[in-house]
Amino acid sequence: MSGLAAPSKLSLAAMVVVFLLGVAGSAHGLERLVSSNSNKPCKQMTLYYHDTLYDGGNNTANATSSGVTKPTALSTSRSKNTTYFGMLAVFNDPMTVGKAMPAAGEEPAAHAQGFYFYDKQEEQNAWFGFSIVFNSTAHKGTLNLMGADIMSAKTRDISVVGGTGDFFMARGVATLSTDALVGLYYFRLRMDIKLYECYV
Ligand SMILES: *[C@@H]1O[C@H](CO)[C@@H](O)[C@H](O)[C@H]1NC(C)=O
Ligand SMILES: *[C@@H]1O[C@H](CO)[C@@H](O)[C@H](O)[C@H]1NC(C)=O
Ligand SMILES: *[C@@H]1O[C@H](CO)[C@@H](O)[C@H](O)[C@H]1NC(C)=O
Ligand SMILES: *[C@@H]1O[C@H](CO)[C@@H](O)[C@H](O)[C@H]1NC(C)=O
């Protein structure tokens, strides 16, 4: 009896080992791909970022962004030049593939979640830190971006410093340009995102 049991235990153990190796292979099988040419990102996409700022009145339902700092004497005096020095805004803004805002009830391609603050007295200038959160059939995961938004420049680059999920360990550069500016409470940025390090 024990003579029979021993080999079947052994083959069961072997099967478990093979199974575990197989699981490990598929769970950790992503391979690092690093672009060797700045013209050839390993992944790229363009998304539009819609920032609807709370106007202090009754757009609470539509606003996806809000100033969260109490204005200081400095920021209010500078705001005459609309530089808003020292103002910090927190946002959960929709991002879309086309320029149009998502229709009511429609899921955007992604959400940008994070903050920007204004950091220059002489002219409007900002700094961004946020995650692009994807939760669609096309993509699940995040890209994490940060950097100076030199608003006087037609285009400015910020860094893609990391990612999760479909964008596991991603790195790259996002080129921002102001695509629309409507009054004081809405602006749209075009973001051309190029990844130079991908795991595929
Ligand atoms: C609220 O919205 C109404 C209708 O759009 C507008 O007439 C009114 O001026 C708004 N009030 C404030 C405080 O923004
Ligand atoms: C909210 O947005 C909808 C369309 O996107 C617009 O019709 C409505 O007037 C907006 N409401 C406020 C309070 O801004
Ligand atoms: C604010 O704007 C006024 C008028 O354009 C200008 O004279 C002044 O230098 C500006 N202030 C700063 C700090 O840039
Ligand atoms: C992601 O989408 C699924 C399906 O629509 C939903 O059930 C889930 O709550 C979403 N997760 C987040 C973090 O939004």
Side-chain angles (χ1 to χ4, degrees), residues 73-85:
L74 182 60
S75 68
T76 49
S77 66
R78 298 302 175 184
S79 76
K80 292 197 181 79
N81 285 11
T82 59
T83 66
Y84 302 109
F85 182 77

Side-chain angles (χ1 to χ4, degrees), residues 110-124:
H111 283 93
Q113 301 178 349
F115 61 83
Y116 55 81
F117 52 77
Y118 292 101
D119 60 1
K120 196 170 180 183
Q121 294 191 29
E122 297 74 24
E123 58 181 344
Q124 218 176 60

Side-chain angles (χ1 to χ4, degrees), residues 25-35 41-44 139-140 142-143 160-172 194-200:
S26 60
H28 302 288
L30 297 178
E31 283 188 18
R32 181 160 167 257
L33 191 69
V34 180
S35 164
C42 50
K43 199 176 273 184
Q44 76 183 90
H139 296 296
K140 290 202 180 355
T142 64
L143 281 174
V160 179
V161 295
T164 64
D166 289 353
F167 305 100
F168 177 80
M169 294 283 281
R171 288 203 302 156
K194 292 180 179 166
L195 302 180
Y196 293 96
E197 192 171 325
C198 306
Y199 279 73
V200 294

Side-chain angles (χ1 to χ4, degrees), residues 2-198:
S2 64
L4 269 178
S8 62
K9 262 187 200 157
L10 197 67
S11 58
L12 185 66
M15 276 172 66
V16 167
V17 167
V18 167
F19 177 72
L20 286 178
L21 282 176
V23 168
S26 60
H28 302 288
L30 297 178
E31 283 188 18
R32 181 160 167 257
L33 191 69
V34 180
S35 164
S36 55
N37 184 320
S38 60
N39 291 329
K40 291 179 185 158
C42 50
K43 199 176 273 184
Q44 76 183 90
M45 68 181 95
T46 295
L47 290 172
Y48 289 89
Y49 163 101
H50 304 263
D51 191 83
T52 305
L53 194 63
Y54 176 52
D55 63 6
N58 56 6
N59 77 335
T60 47
N62 289 11
T64 53
S65 176
S66 177
V68 296
T69 41
K70 189 175 176 202
T72 63
L74 182 60
S75 68
T76 49
S77 66
R78 298 302 175 184
S79 76
K80 292 197 181 79
N81 285 11
T82 59
T83 66
Y84 302 109
F85 182 77
M87 176 187 147
L88 173 77
V90 169
F91 57 82
N92 187 352
D93 282 342
M95 294 190 85
T96 52
V97 173
K99 293 185 180 202
M101 279 277 260
E106 186 187 290
E107 268 302 300
H111 283 93
Q113 301 178 349
F115 61 83
Y116 55 81
F117 52 77
Y118 292 101
D119 60 1
K120 196 170 180 183
Q121 294 191 29
E122 297 74 24
E123 58 181 344
Q124 218 176 60
N125 197 64
W127 198 92
F128 261 118
F130 63 100
S131 299
I132 302 179
V133 181
F134 295 86
N135 185 26
S136 65
T137 44
H139 296 296
K140 290 202 180 355
T142 64
L143 281 174
N144 296 300
L145 293 81
M146 57 182 265
D149 181 19
I150 314 291
M151 291 170 65
S152 56
K154 198 170 182 319
T155 66
R156 49 272 179 188
D157 291 344
I158 64 172
S159 302
V160 179
V161 295
T164 64
D166 289 353
F167 305 100
F168 177 80
M169 294 283 281
R171 288 203 302 156
V173 168
T175 301
L176 276 46
S177 56
T178 306
D179 191 61
L181 199 56
V182 181
L184 290 175
Y185 300 108
Y186 173 80
F187 67 89
R188 181 171 66 230
L189 299 179
R190 179 189 160 113
M191 297 194 185
D192 291 309
I193 300 165
K194 292 180 179 166
L195 302 180
Y196 293 96
E197 192 171 325
C198 306

